[in-house]
Amino acid sequence: MRSRPAAISVLLFTLVIASCLLDLEVEAKPQTCLPSGKLRGRKPPPKKCNQIHNSDCCVEGKMYTTYECSPPITGQTKAVLTLNSFEKGQDGGGASEDGERVVALSSGWFDNRRSCLQRIKITAGNGRSVVAKVVDECDSTEGCDEEHDYQPPCPNNVVDASPAVWDALGVPSGEQGDLKVTWSFL
């Protein structure tokens, strides 16, 4: 049988080792992206919120979460692929040519335009991949105003893609809208 001081020493040593291991575990976890604030929805003026591709309109008084960051970029960054026409007068983004494979990235990934014109590879769950060009930001920091077509802020994990991207991934037009994908810079 051990003496009380020896048992206490072993217990303290075990706690110190466990504490160190827990600290290592915390440091090894990837950084998280926490919300940066909230935004109160405003009712859009009549016929001012474009709902092409099932886009949401802001709801008066509803609180929307905003983000200045996005999840860390890895070789297989998880995202939600959404649909955006990128045509003038449509549901947002700059104008693009028909059939062009272009995307807008959530604010954190767009990184103050640093990602603009870079190419990314998007892979769907069906195993198909496509290369697309980043041309715009899906604003995660603001929304519910005229500039943002009276739509809520974008989530922080979105790749907003043209129909050509969806077609290249083999997703039928009736099923285009929200899809879990992975992506990476080329």
Side-chain angles (χ1 to χ4, degrees), residues 49-57 83-92 149 151 163:
C49 180
N50 191 330
Q51 290 186 286
I52 293 175
H53 299 126
N54 297 320
S55 295
D56 292 330
C57 293
L83 181 60
N84 185 332
S85 72
F86 287 92
E87 295 175 15
K88 188 174 182 174
Q90 297 295 315
D91 56 344
D149 205 17
Q151 295 174 353

Side-chain angles (χ1 to χ4, degrees), residues 31-48:
Q31 292 178 326
T32 59
C33 174
L34 300 175
S36 58
K38 293 277 187 183
L39 180 128
R40 185 176 303 280
R42 297 186 319 189
K43 183 178 179 179
K47 299 182 182 180
K48 289 291 184 179

Side-chain angles (χ1 to χ4, degrees), residues 9 18 21 29 43 45 51 61 73 79 87 95 110 112 130 137 142 144-145 149 156 161 173 183:
S9 295
L21 291 175
K29 288 182 182 177
K43 183 178 179 179
Q51 290 186 286
I73 297 172
E87 295 175 15
F110 193 63
N112 293 315
V130 62
E137 172 183 20
E142 297 183 39
C144 298
D145 56 12
D149 205 17
N156 69 339
S173 61
W183 71 275

Side-chain angles (χ1 to χ4, degrees), residues 46-158:
K47 299 182 182 180
K48 289 291 184 179
C49 180
N50 191 330
Q51 290 186 286
I52 293 175
H53 299 126
N54 297 320
S55 295
D56 292 330
C57 293
C58 290
V59 175
E60 187 171 9
K62 181 175 179 180
M63 298 303 289
Y64 296 96
T65 302
T66 60
Y67 293 89
E68 293 179 4
C69 58
S70 292
I73 297 172
T74 66
Q76 293 291 308
T77 305
K78 293 179 182 179
V80 176
L81 190 71
T82 58
L83 181 60
N84 185 332
S85 72
F86 287 92
E87 295 175 15
K88 188 174 182 174
Q90 297 295 315
D91 56 344
S96 73
E97 308 234 350
D98 287 344
E100 198 171 2
R101 295 175 182 168
V102 294
V103 299
L105 297 178
S106 293
S107 295
W109 291 334
F110 193 63
D111 195 19
N112 293 315
R113 303 189 62 81
R114 287 183 188 91
S115 299
C116 199
L117 302 181
Q118 290 193 42
R119 298 204 177 274
I120 65 170
K121 179 181 177 183
I122 303 163
T123 304
N126 63 7
R128 293 184 73 171
S129 296
V130 62
V131 173
K133 182 171 45 173
V134 178
V135 297
D136 203 2
E137 172 183 20
C138 191
D139 199 337
S140 306
T141 64
E142 297 183 39
C144 298
D145 56 12
E146 186 175 3
E147 180 182 351
H148 297 92
D149 205 17
Y150 294 95
Q151 295 174 353
C154 194
N156 69 339
N157 64 339
V158 165

